[in-house]
Amino acid sequence: MIRCIYSPFTEIYFHLAAEEYLLKQGNEDIFMLWQDTPSVVMGKHQSVQLEVNREWAEEQQIQIARRFSGGGAVYHDLGNVNLTFIETVSRLPDFSLYLHRILDFLKQIGLPAKGDERLGIYLNGLKISGSAQCLYKDRVLYHCTLLYDTDLTALHQALNPEPMVDDETLSSVYAVPSVRSEVTNIRRHLSAGTVTDFKEKAFQYFSKSQSVSAFTREEIEAVNQLREEKYIQKEWIYSR
């Protein structure tokens, strides 16, 4: 039985802490659907200066965050829907299985999406989803974005930093670069429906015949503690 959580929160630091807590402290299989107010989220091994237009993001009050999984930088807002799968596995995981679950859902709602070798998802050659993964002991986490009705102008602005003209500084930065792709919103490819409608359809699809529950008070307290101690800390975000 998979525990399904429809998160009522909309803050990136809470959700990143929640993912790490549920991965490392629990033993349940988890599906979580969540959203955030405007945020840029880098992979664990990325550089802020190479990925984020920090000055513009801070002017626009866009949160800058770092997750504990790898992968590239992504933009979140309330037009974007995030899916997280956490499971206990007995062998090396096949991450493409998660990709195909999401492709099956999109096919059911009338979207002929396709995946690629980096587990991205595309409609008519334009990207609608990126993903990242990580392992912890016998636990695996796979999470992805789904661009439904995201502000693509803000996305492009936030993820296009000023070019670094200092070659010496650039060569001294060890970081995993993002792979840039042209993107589109799912809503452009559907006849109707709000992001709330889309969230409901996604949650119903992945939670069917499963156990639906909210965060417990104890979980919220523990997640907030991890948020305070790690995810909002400038050292974690900027100094890695």
Side-chain angles (χ1 to χ4, degrees):
M1 185 68 73
I2 300 172
R3 178 186 174 194
C4 301
I5 301 171
Y6 193 125
S7 176
F9 303 106
T10 56
E11 197 221 41
I12 184 58
Y13 304 118
F14 178 90
H15 285 129
L16 295 178
E19 288 185 316
E20 182 173 348
Y21 177 82
L22 292 168
L23 175 71
K24 294 182 176 180
Q25 304 303 322
N27 54 16
E28 298 173 293
D29 289 349
I30 301 282
F31 166 72
M32 182 169 71
L33 183 147
W34 47 289
Q35 288 180 290
D36 294 312
T37 52
S39 322
V40 175
V41 190
M42 297 172 293
K44 183 176 183 177
H45 304 293
Q46 292 198 297
S47 161
V48 176
Q49 65 202 90
L50 296 180
E51 299 296 336
V52 185
N53 187 336
R54 182 175 174 182
E55 183 178 352
W56 184 84
E58 290 176 349
E59 284 175 359
Q60 301 298 314
Q61 298 184 306
I62 293 170
Q63 305 282 15
I64 299 173
R66 182 185 300 278
R67 61 183 182 267
F68 65 97
S69 61
V74 292
Y75 178 78
H76 290 193
D77 64 14
L78 294 176
N80 174 66
V81 178
N82 304 291
L83 309 179
T84 299
F85 301 87
I86 299 172
E87 296 179 342
T88 301
V89 294
S90 57
R91 60 187 182 279
L92 202 62
D94 179 358
F95 290 116
S96 69
L97 295 176
Y98 300 98
L99 170 71
H100 288 292
R101 290 185 201 176
I102 297 161
L103 291 175
D104 288 345
F105 159 66
L106 294 172
K107 183 179 179 181
Q108 188 191 70
I109 63 171
L111 295 172
K114 296 181 179 179
D116 71 0
E117 68 281 356
R118 291 193 302 273
L119 306 183
I121 299 176
Y122 297 79
L123 280 171
N124 300 330
L126 299 175
K127 195 169 188 176
I128 58 168
S129 173
S131 68
Q133 313 82 36
C134 69
L135 291 167
Y136 176 76
K137 297 182 179 178
D138 63 345
R139 304 269 284 164
V140 60
L141 179 143
Y142 176 99
H143 49 189
C144 73
T145 61
L146 284 169
L147 297 173
Y148 184 77
D149 194 18
T150 292
D151 182 341
L152 298 184
T153 301
L155 179 152
H156 288 298
Q157 188 74 32
L159 295 179
N160 278 283
E162 294 296 321
M164 292 179 66
V165 294
D166 185 344
D167 290 337
E168 184 177 340
T169 302
L170 180 59
S171 64
S172 70
V173 175
Y174 173 75
V176 176
S178 293
V179 178
R180 307 290 175 178
S181 301
E182 289 298 313
V183 297
T184 188
N185 275 316
I186 291 170
R187 189 171 187 177
R188 290 188 58 197
H189 304 264
L190 290 176
S191 57
T194 65
V195 67
T196 300
D197 297 330
F198 180 73
K199 284 195 302 178
E200 295 289 343
K201 287 177 182 176
F203 193 76
Q204 288 172 11
Y205 180 88
F206 290 107
S207 67
K208 188 165 43 181
S209 304
Q210 303 298 334
S211 170
V212 176
S213 70
F215 290 107
T216 66
R217 187 177 68 179
E218 291 76 18
E219 285 173 333
I220 291 172
E221 289 174 357
V223 168
N224 276 323
Q225 182 176 344
L226 182 57
R227 172 192 177 276
E228 295 290 325
E229 293 176 353
K230 179 175 181 178
Y231 283 98
I232 67 169
Q233 295 297 322
K234 283 185 166 45
E235 182 180 1
W236 169 256
I237 299 168
Y238 298 107
S239 301
R240 287 187 61 82

Coordinates of all heavy atoms in Angstrom, one line a residue, residues 96-166:
S96 N 13.3 4.4 -15.0 CA 12.4 4.6 -16.2 C 10.9 4.1 -15.9 O 10.0 4.5 -16.5 CB 12.9 3.8 -17.4 OG 12.8 2.4 -17.2
L97 N 10.8 3.2 -14.9 CA 9.4 2.8 -14.5 C 8.6 4.0 -14.0 O 7.4 4.0 -14.2 CB 9.5 1.7 -13.4 CG 10.2 0.4 -13.8 CD1 10.3 -0.6 -12.6 CD2 9.4 -0.3 -14.9
Y98 N 9.2 4.9 -13.3 CA 8.5 6.1 -12.8 C 8.1 7.0 -14.0 O 7.0 7.5 -14.0 CB 9.4 6.8 -11.8 CG 9.7 6.0 -10.6 CD1 11.0 5.4 -10.5 CD2 8.8 5.9 -9.5 CE1 11.3 4.7 -9.4 CE2 9.2 5.1 -8.4 CZ 10.4 4.5 -8.3 OH 10.8 3.8 -7.2
L99 N 9.1 7.1 -14.9 CA 8.8 7.9 -16.1 C 7.5 7.3 -16.8 O 6.6 8.1 -17.2 CB 10.0 7.8 -17.0 CG 9.8 8.4 -18.4 CD1 9.6 9.9 -18.4 CD2 10.9 8.0 -19.4
H100 N 7.5 6.0 -16.9 CA 6.4 5.4 -17.7 C 5.0 5.5 -16.9 O 4.0 5.6 -17.5 CB 6.7 3.9 -18.0 CG 7.7 3.8 -19.1 ND1 7.5 4.2 -20.4 CD2 9.0 3.4 -19.1 CE1 8.6 4.0 -21.1 NE2 9.5 3.6 -20.4
R101 N 5.1 5.5 -15.6 CA 3.9 5.8 -14.8 C 3.3 7.1 -15.2 O 2.1 7.3 -15.4 CB 4.1 5.8 -13.3 CG 4.5 4.4 -12.7 CD 4.6 4.6 -11.2 NE 5.4 3.5 -10.6 CZ 5.7 3.4 -9.3 NH1 5.3 4.4 -8.5 NH2 6.4 2.4 -8.9
I102 N 4.2 8.1 -15.3 CA 3.7 9.5 -15.6 C 3.2 9.6 -17.0 O 2.2 10.2 -17.3 CB 4.8 10.5 -15.3 CG1 5.1 10.4 -13.8 CG2 4.4 11.9 -15.7 CD1 6.4 11.0 -13.4
L103 N 4.0 9.0 -18.0 CA 3.5 8.9 -19.4 C 2.2 8.3 -19.5 O 1.3 8.7 -20.3 CB 4.6 8.2 -20.2 CG 5.9 8.9 -20.4 CD1 6.9 8.0 -21.2 CD2 5.8 10.2 -21.2
D104 N 1.9 7.2 -18.7 CA 0.6 6.6 -18.8 C -0.5 7.5 -18.3 O -1.6 7.5 -18.9 CB 0.6 5.3 -17.9 CG 1.4 4.2 -18.6 OD1 1.7 4.3 -19.8 OD2 1.8 3.2 -17.8
F105 N -0.2 8.3 -17.3 CA -1.2 9.2 -16.8 C -1.5 10.3 -17.8 O -2.7 10.6 -18.1 CB -0.7 9.9 -15.5 CG -1.4 11.2 -15.2 CD1 -2.8 11.3 -14.9 CD2 -0.7 12.4 -15.3 CE1 -3.4 12.5 -14.7 CE2 -1.3 13.6 -15.0 CZ -2.7 13.7 -14.7
L106 N -0.4 10.8 -18.4 CA -0.6 11.9 -19.5 C -1.4 11.3 -20.7 O -2.2 12.0 -21.2 CB 0.7 12.4 -19.9 CG 1.5 13.2 -18.8 CD1 2.9 13.5 -19.2 CD2 0.7 14.5 -18.4
K107 N -1.1 10.1 -21.0 CA -1.8 9.5 -22.1 C -3.3 9.3 -21.8 O -4.2 9.6 -22.7 CB -1.2 8.1 -22.4 CG -1.9 7.4 -23.6 CD -1.2 6.0 -23.9 CE -1.9 5.3 -25.0 NZ -1.3 4.0 -25.3
Q108 N -3.6 9.0 -20.5 CA -5.0 8.9 -20.1 C -5.8 10.2 -20.3 O -7.0 10.1 -20.6 CB -5.1 8.4 -18.7 CG -6.5 8.0 -18.3 CD -6.7 7.7 -16.8 OE1 -6.6 8.6 -16.0 NE2 -6.8 6.5 -16.4
I109 N -5.1 11.3 -20.1 CA -5.8 12.6 -20.2 C -5.7 13.2 -21.6 O -6.0 14.3 -21.8 CB -5.4 13.6 -19.1 CG1 -3.9 13.9 -19.3 CG2 -5.7 13.0 -17.7 CD1 -3.5 15.1 -18.3
G110 N -5.2 12.4 -22.5 CA -5.2 12.8 -23.9 C -3.9 13.5 -24.4 O -3.9 14.1 -25.5
L111 N -2.8 13.2 -23.7 CA -1.5 13.9 -24.1 C -0.5 12.8 -24.6 O -0.1 12.0 -23.8 CB -0.9 14.7 -23.0 CG -1.8 15.9 -22.5 CD1 -1.2 16.4 -21.2 CD2 -1.8 16.9 -23.6
P112 N -0.2 12.8 -25.9 CA 0.8 11.8 -26.4 C 2.2 12.2 -26.1 O 3.0 12.5 -27.0 CB 0.5 11.8 -27.9 CG 0.0 13.3 -28.2 CD -0.7 13.7 -26.9
A113 N 2.6 12.3 -24.8 CA 3.9 12.7 -24.4 C 4.9 11.6 -24.6 O 4.6 10.4 -24.7 CB 3.9 13.1 -23.0
K114 N 6.2 12.0 -24.7 CA 7.3 11.0 -24.9 C 8.4 11.3 -23.9 O 8.6 12.5 -23.6 CB 7.8 11.1 -26.4 CG 6.8 10.6 -27.4 CD 7.3 10.7 -28.8 CE 6.3 10.3 -29.8 NZ 6.8 10.3 -31.2
G115 N 9.1 10.3 -23.5 CA 10.2 10.5 -22.6 C 11.6 10.3 -23.4 O 11.6 9.9 -24.5
D116 N 12.7 10.7 -22.7 CA 14.0 10.6 -23.3 C 14.9 9.9 -22.4 O 14.5 9.5 -21.3 CB 14.5 11.9 -23.8 CG 14.9 12.9 -22.6 OD1 14.8 12.5 -21.5 OD2 15.4 14.0 -22.9
E117 N 16.2 9.7 -22.8 CA 17.1 9.0 -22.0 C 17.5 9.7 -20.6 O 17.9 9.0 -19.7 CB 18.4 8.7 -22.8 CG 19.3 9.9 -23.0 CD 18.8 10.7 -24.2 OE1 17.7 10.3 -24.9 OE2 19.4 11.8 -24.5
R118 N 17.2 11.0 -20.5 CA 17.4 11.7 -19.3 C 16.2 11.7 -18.4 O 16.1 12.4 -17.4 CB 18.0 13.1 -19.5 CG 19.4 13.1 -20.1 CD 20.0 14.5 -20.1 NE 19.2 15.5 -20.8 CZ 19.3 15.7 -22.1 NH1 20.2 15.0 -22.8 NH2 18.5 16.6 -22.7
L119 N 15.2 11.0 -18.8 CA 13.9 10.9 -18.1 C 13.1 12.2 -18.1 O 12.3 12.4 -17.3 CB 14.1 10.4 -16.7 CG 14.9 9.1 -16.5 CD1 14.9 8.7 -15.0 CD2 14.2 8.0 -17.3
G120 N 13.4 13.0 -19.2 CA 12.5 14.2 -19.4 C 11.3 13.8 -20.2 O 11.3 12.7 -20.8
I121 N 10.3 14.6 -20.1 CA 9.0 14.3 -20.9 C 8.7 15.5 -21.8 O 8.9 16.7 -21.4 CB 7.9 14.1 -19.9 CG1 8.2 12.9 -19.0 CG2 6.6 13.9 -20.6 CD1 7.1 12.7 -17.9
Y122 N 8.3 15.2 -23.0 CA 8.2 16.1 -24.1 C 6.8 16.0 -24.8 O 6.3 14.9 -24.9 CB 9.3 16.0 -25.1 CG 10.6 16.2 -24.6 CD1 11.3 15.2 -23.9 CD2 11.3 17.4 -24.8 CE1 12.6 15.4 -23.4 CE2 12.6 17.6 -24.3 CZ 13.2 16.6 -23.6 OH 14.4 16.8 -23.1
L123 N 6.3 17.1 -25.2 CA 5.1 17.2 -26.1 C 5.5 17.9 -27.4 O 6.0 19.1 -27.3 CB 4.0 17.9 -25.4 CG 3.1 17.2 -24.4 CD1 2.2 18.1 -23.7 CD2 2.3 16.1 -25.1
N124 N 5.4 17.3 -28.5 CA 5.7 17.9 -29.8 C 7.2 18.4 -29.7 O 7.4 19.5 -30.3 CB 4.8 19.0 -30.2 CG 3.3 18.5 -30.3 OD1 3.1 17.3 -30.7 ND2 2.4 19.3 -30.0
G125 N 8.1 17.7 -29.1 CA 9.5 18.1 -29.0 C 9.8 19.2 -28.0 O 11.0 19.5 -27.9
L126 N 8.8 19.7 -27.3 CA 9.1 20.7 -26.2 C 8.9 20.1 -24.8 O 8.0 19.3 -24.6 CB 8.1 21.8 -26.4 CG 8.1 22.6 -27.7 CD1 7.0 23.6 -27.8 CD2 9.5 23.3 -27.9
K127 N 9.8 20.5 -23.9 CA 9.8 19.8 -22.6 C 8.7 20.3 -21.7 O 8.5 21.5 -21.6 CB 11.2 20.1 -22.0 CG 11.5 19.2 -20.8 CD 13.0 19.3 -20.4 CE 13.4 18.3 -19.3 NZ 14.8 18.4 -19.0
I128 N 8.1 19.4 -21.0 CA 7.1 19.7 -20.0 C 7.4 19.2 -18.6 O 6.8 19.5 -17.6 CB 5.7 19.1 -20.4 CG1 5.7 17.6 -20.6 CG2 5.1 19.8 -21.6 CD1 4.3 17.0 -20.6
S129 N 8.5 18.3 -18.6 CA 8.9 17.7 -17.3 C 10.3 17.4 -17.2 O 10.9 16.8 -18.2 CB 8.0 16.5 -17.0 OG 8.4 15.8 -15.9
G130 N 10.9 17.7 -16.1 CA 12.3 17.2 -15.8 C 12.2 16.4 -14.5 O 11.3 16.6 -13.7
S131 N 13.2 15.6 -14.3 CA 13.2 14.7 -13.1 C 14.6 14.6 -12.5 O 15.6 14.9 -13.1 CB 12.6 13.3 -13.4 OG 13.6 12.6 -14.2
A132 N 14.6 14.2 -11.2 CA 15.8 13.9 -10.5 C 15.6 12.7 -9.6 O 14.4 12.4 -9.3 CB 16.3 15.1 -9.7
Q133 N 16.7 12.0 -9.2 CA 16.5 10.8 -8.4 C 17.6 10.8 -7.4 O 18.7 11.4 -7.5 CB 16.7 9.5 -9.3 CG 15.8 9.5 -10.6 CD 16.5 10.3 -11.7 OE1 17.7 10.3 -11.9 NE2 15.7 11.0 -12.5
C134 N 17.4 10.0 -6.3 CA 18.5 9.7 -5.4 C 18.2 8.4 -4.6 O 17.1 7.9 -4.6 CB 18.8 10.8 -4.4 SG 17.5 11.1 -3.2
L135 N 19.3 7.8 -4.1 CA 19.2 6.6 -3.3 C 19.7 6.9 -1.9 O 20.6 7.6 -1.7 CB 20.1 5.5 -3.9 CG 19.7 4.9 -5.3 CD1 20.8 4.1 -5.8 CD2 18.4 4.0 -5.1
Y136 N 19.0 6.2 -0.9 CA 19.4 6.2 0.5 C 19.2 4.9 1.1 O 18.1 4.4 1.2 CB 18.6 7.3 1.3 CG 19.0 7.3 2.7 CD1 20.2 7.9 3.2 CD2 18.2 6.8 3.7 CE1 20.5 7.9 4.5 CE2 18.5 6.8 5.0 CZ 19.7 7.4 5.4 OH 20.0 7.4 6.8
K137 N 20.3 4.1 1.3 CA 20.3 2.8 1.8 C 19.4 1.9 0.8 O 19.7 1.9 -0.4 CB 19.8 2.7 3.2 CG 20.7 3.4 4.2 CD 20.3 3.3 5.6 CE 21.3 4.0 6.5 NZ 20.8 4.0 7.9
D138 N 18.3 1.4 1.3 CA 17.4 0.6 0.4 C 16.2 1.4 0.0 O 15.2 0.8 -0.4 CB 17.0 -0.7 1.1 CG 16.1 -0.5 2.3 OD1 16.1 0.7 2.8 OD2 15.5 -1.4 2.8
R139 N 16.3 2.7 0.1 CA 15.2 3.6 -0.3 C 15.5 4.4 -1.5 O 16.7 4.8 -1.7 CB 14.9 4.6 0.9 CG 14.6 3.9 2.2 CD 13.1 3.6 2.4 NE 12.4 4.8 2.7 CZ 11.0 4.9 2.6 NH1 10.3 3.9 2.2 NH2 10.4 6.0 3.0
V140 N 14.6 4.7 -2.3 CA 14.8 5.4 -3.6 C 13.8 6.5 -3.7 O 12.6 6.4 -3.2 CB 14.6 4.5 -4.8 CG1 13.2 3.9 -4.9 CG2 14.9 5.2 -6.1
L141 N 14.2 7.7 -4.2 CA 13.3 8.8 -4.4 C 13.4 9.2 -5.9 O 14.5 9.3 -6.4 CB 13.7 10.0 -3.5 CG 12.9 11.3 -3.7 CD1 12.7 11.9 -2.3 CD2 13.5 12.3 -4.6
Y142 N 12.3 9.5 -6.5 CA 12.2 10.0 -7.8 C 11.2 11.1 -7.8 O 10.1 11.0 -7.3 CB 11.7 8.9 -8.8 CG 11.4 9.4 -10.2 CD1 12.4 9.1 -11.2 CD2 10.3 10.0 -10.6 CE1 12.2 9.5 -12.5 CE2 10.0 10.4 -11.9 CZ 11.0 10.2 -12.9 OH 10.8 10.5 -14.2
H143 N 11.6 12.3 -8.2 CA 10.6 13.4 -8.3 C 10.7 14.2 -9.6 O 11.8 14.2 -10.3 CB 10.8 14.4 -7.1 CG 12.2 14.9 -6.8 ND1 12.5 15.6 -5.7 CD2 13.3 14.7 -7.5 CE1 13.8 15.9 -5.7 NE2 14.3 15.4 -6.7
C144 N 9.6 14.8 -10.0 CA 9.6 15.5 -11.3 C 8.7 16.7 -11.2 O 7.8 16.8 -10.3 CB 9.1 14.5 -12.4 SG 7.4 14.1 -12.3
T145 N 8.9 17.6 -12.1 CA 8.0 18.7 -12.3 C 7.1 18.4 -13.5 O 7.4 17.6 -14.4 CB 8.8 20.0 -12.7 OG1 9.5 19.7 -14.0 CG2 9.9 20.3 -11.7
L146 N 5.9 19.1 -13.5 CA 5.0 19.0 -14.7 C 4.6 20.5 -14.9 O 3.9 21.1 -14.1 CB 3.8 18.1 -14.4 CG 4.1 16.6 -14.5 CD1 2.8 15.9 -14.0 CD2 4.4 16.2 -15.9
L147 N 5.1 21.1 -16.0 CA 4.7 22.4 -16.3 C 3.3 22.5 -16.9 O 3.0 22.0 -18.0 CB 5.7 23.0 -17.4 CG 7.1 23.1 -17.0 CD1 8.0 23.5 -18.2 CD2 7.3 24.1 -15.8
Y148 N 2.3 23.0 -16.1 CA 1.0 23.0 -16.5 C 0.6 24.4 -17.1 O 0.2 24.6 -18.2 CB 0.0 22.6 -15.4 CG -1.4 22.5 -16.0 CD1 -1.9 21.5 -16.8 CD2 -2.3 23.6 -15.8 CE1 -3.1 21.4 -17.3 CE2 -3.6 23.6 -16.3 CZ -4.0 22.5 -17.1 OH -5.3 22.5 -17.6
D149 N 0.8 25.4 -16.2 CA 0.5 26.8 -16.6 C 1.5 27.7 -16.0 O 1.1 28.7 -15.4 CB -1.0 27.1 -16.2 CG -1.5 28.4 -16.9 OD1 -0.9 28.8 -17.9 OD2 -2.5 29.0 -16.4
T150 N 2.7 27.4 -16.1 CA 3.8 28.1 -15.5 C 4.1 29.4 -16.3 O 3.9 29.5 -17.5 CB 5.1 27.3 -15.4 OG1 4.9 26.2 -14.5 CG2 6.3 28.0 -15.0
D151 N 4.6 30.4 -15.5 CA 5.0 31.7 -16.2 C 6.3 31.4 -16.9 O 7.4 31.5 -16.2 CB 5.1 32.8 -15.1 CG 5.5 34.1 -15.7 OD1 6.0 34.2 -16.8 OD2 5.3 35.2 -15.0
L152 N 6.3 31.2 -18.1 CA 7.5 30.8 -18.9 C 8.4 32.0 -19.0 O 9.7 31.8 -19.2 CB 7.1 30.2 -20.2 CG 6.3 28.9 -20.2 CD1 6.1 28.3 -21.6 CD2 6.9 27.8 -19.3
T153 N 7.9 33.2 -19.1 CA 8.8 34.3 -19.1 C 9.7 34.4 -17.9 O 10.9 34.6 -17.9 CB 8.0 35.6 -19.3 OG1 7.2 35.6 -20.5 CG2 8.9 36.9 -19.3
A154 N 9.0 34.2 -16.7 CA 9.8 34.2 -15.4 C 10.7 33.0 -15.4 O 11.9 33.2 -14.9 CB 8.8 34.2 -14.3
L155 N 10.3 31.9 -15.9 CA 11.2 30.7 -15.9 C 12.5 31.0 -16.7 O 13.6 30.8 -16.2 CB 10.4 29.5 -16.6 CG 11.2 28.2 -16.7 CD1 10.1 27.1 -16.7 CD2 12.0 28.1 -18.0
H156 N 12.3 31.6 -17.9 CA 13.5 31.9 -18.7 C 14.4 32.9 -18.0 O 15.6 32.8 -18.1 CB 13.1 32.3 -20.1 CG 12.5 31.2 -21.0 ND1 13.3 30.1 -21.3 CD2 11.3 31.0 -21.5 CE1 12.5 29.3 -22.1 NE2 11.3 29.8 -22.2
Q157 N 13.8 33.9 -17.5 CA 14.5 35.0 -16.8 C 15.3 34.5 -15.6 O 16.5 34.8 -15.4 CB 13.6 36.1 -16.4 CG 14.3 37.4 -15.9 CD 14.9 38.2 -17.0 OE1 14.4 38.2 -18.1 NE2 16.0 38.8 -16.8
A158 N 14.7 33.6 -14.8 CA 15.3 33.2 -13.6 C 16.4 32.2 -13.8 O 17.4 32.1 -13.1 CB 14.2 32.5 -12.7
L159 N 16.3 31.4 -14.9 CA 17.3 30.3 -15.2 C 18.3 30.8 -16.2 O 19.0 29.9 -16.7 CB 16.6 29.1 -15.7 CG 15.6 28.4 -14.6 CD1 15.0 27.2 -15.2 CD2 16.4 28.0 -13.4
N160 N 18.4 32.0 -16.5 CA 19.5 32.5 -17.4 C 20.3 33.5 -16.7 O 20.1 34.7 -16.7 CB 18.8 33.2 -18.6 CG 18.4 32.1 -19.7 OD1 19.3 31.6 -20.4 ND2 17.1 31.8 -19.7
P161 N 21.4 33.1 -16.0 CA 22.3 34.0 -15.3 C 23.1 34.8 -16.2 O 23.2 34.5 -17.4 CB 23.2 33.0 -14.5 CG 23.2 31.8 -15.3 CD 21.8 31.7 -15.9
E162 N 23.6 35.9 -15.7 CA 24.5 36.8 -16.4 C 25.7 36.0 -16.8 O 26.3 35.2 -16.0 CB 24.9 38.0 -15.6 CG 23.8 39.0 -15.3 CD 23.2 39.6 -16.6 OE1 24.0 39.9 -17.5 OE2 22.0 39.7 -16.7
P163 N 26.2 36.1 -18.0 CA 27.4 35.3 -18.4 C 28.6 35.6 -17.5 O 28.8 36.8 -17.2 CB 27.7 35.7 -19.9 CG 26.6 36.6 -20.2 CD 25.8 36.9 -19.1
M164 N 29.4 34.6 -17.2 CA 30.6 34.8 -16.4 C 31.8 35.1 -17.4 O 32.2 34.3 -18.2 CB 30.9 33.5 -15.6 CG 29.9 33.3 -14.5 SD 30.3 31.8 -13.6 CE 31.9 32.3 -12.8
V165 N 32.3 36.3 -17.2 CA 33.4 36.8 -18.1 C 34.7 36.4 -17.6 O 35.7 36.4 -18.3 CB 33.3 38.3 -18.4 CG1 32.0 38.6 -19.2 CG2 33.3 39.1 -17.1
D166 N 34.8 36.0 -16.3 CA 36.1 35.7 -15.7 C 36.3 34.2 -15.9 O 35.8 33.4 -15.2 CB 36.0 36.0 -14.2 CG 37.3 35.8 -13.5 OD1 38.2 35.1 -14.1 OD2 37.5 36.3 -12.4

